[in-house]
Amino acid sequence: MIKKITLVLVALISISAATAQIRVGKAILPYEENFADTDLKLNGAGMREMLWIDLYAGGLYLQNKSKDPKAILDADETMAIKLNIVSGFVTQKKMIKAVRDGFNKATFGNTKALDERINKFIRFFSEPIVKNDIFDIVYVKDKGVKAFKNGKELGVIEGRDFKYALFKIWLGDEPASEGIKKGMLGLQ
């Protein structure tokens, strides 16, 4: 009798653990995250592709779901973007270039007020980037953007204006990828 109960409990735990995440291409993203003592739920997720090659999965985590990119960008509340690298084509050099290009697009080339903080953020990519690396970019209300690589904190960049420009890379009018933007907004 105890063996049957144990088997049932193990099966239930396995089922609940399996449903607590979503597959996006080859990446697996959790449905829920907790950053800065704030519970966040997956708003949506998508895949960044180039020439039919999956590069990374991106998930947007919010306290309350939203399909409105402007409201998300303007919000002064804890939120996060998770990037799960699924290809060896994503290298340190290419990530740095993509981030610089993303900030230029997000600010219409007017990065002057952010340059020092952009350079600090880019230094977070000082180590090689390999397949299966996971980056968490977390805006913590009243603190700034905290960046993590594989669970290790890389640093903090202050300023809601920095968060706005950074998140605009994926959620702005000219995103890194329309597919990933639609996915993060739960529109796919």
Side-chain angles (χ1 to χ4, degrees):
M1 182 68 159
I2 292 177
K3 273 187 174 181
K4 286 182 183 179
I5 292 171
T6 303
L7 286 174
V8 170
L9 285 174
V10 168
L12 288 174
I13 290 169
S14 297
I15 289 169
S16 66
T19 59
Q21 47 196 10
I22 183 173
R23 181 175 288 281
V24 182
K26 295 178 182 175
I28 296 175
L29 301 176
Y31 277 117
E32 296 180 353
E33 284 282 6
N34 184 293
F35 292 105
D37 295 324
T38 304
D39 291 328
L40 303 175
K41 294 177 181 66
L42 182 66
N43 191 67
M47 183 63 68
R48 171 76 166 104
E49 300 170 328
M50 188 173 285
L51 302 173
W52 305 283
I53 298 170
D54 291 347
L55 299 177
Y56 62 83
L60 174 65
Y61 292 83
L62 303 173
Q63 293 176 48
N64 299 297
K65 289 196 172 213
S66 175
K67 295 184 184 310
D68 182 354
K70 182 163 177 20
I72 295 165
L73 291 169
D74 288 338
D76 186 18
E77 60 183 42
T78 298
M79 60 181 68
I81 290 178
K82 181 180 288 288
L83 304 177
N84 187 325
I85 309 300
V86 297
S87 170
F89 288 111
V90 179
T91 64
Q92 174 188 21
K93 185 176 178 181
K94 289 178 183 174
M95 179 66 90
I96 290 169
K97 182 180 181 333
V99 168
R100 283 199 191 281
D101 291 347
F103 274 110
N104 277 325
K105 276 186 177 180
T107 62
F108 307 104
N110 187 17
T111 62
K112 191 166 183 77
L114 300 172
D115 279 343
E116 189 177 312
R117 290 177 283 167
I118 291 170
N119 290 331
K120 181 178 177 182
F121 184 75
I122 284 173
R123 285 193 295 273
F124 295 161
F125 304 107
S126 62
E127 295 180 9
I129 296 173
V130 297
K131 186 176 175 180
N132 299 321
D133 275 346
I134 296 174
F135 290 92
D136 290 298
I137 301 165
V138 184
Y139 174 70
V140 180
K141 181 180 173 145
D142 299 325
K143 290 208 167 110
V145 173
K146 283 188 176 188
F148 299 84
K149 180 181 180 184
N150 301 324
K152 177 185 171 197
E153 186 174 330
L154 302 172
V156 180
I157 310 286
E158 293 179 355
R160 193 163 144 214
D161 59 336
F162 182 81
K163 170 260 186 182
Y164 183 91
L166 179 60
F167 278 56
K168 197 174 174 191
I169 290 172
W170 294 277
L171 301 173
D173 291 336
E174 292 185 47
S177 155
E178 278 296 329
I180 207 165
K181 176 182 177 179
K182 287 180 181 177
M184 286 182 171
L185 294 174
L187 300 174
Q188 288 185 330

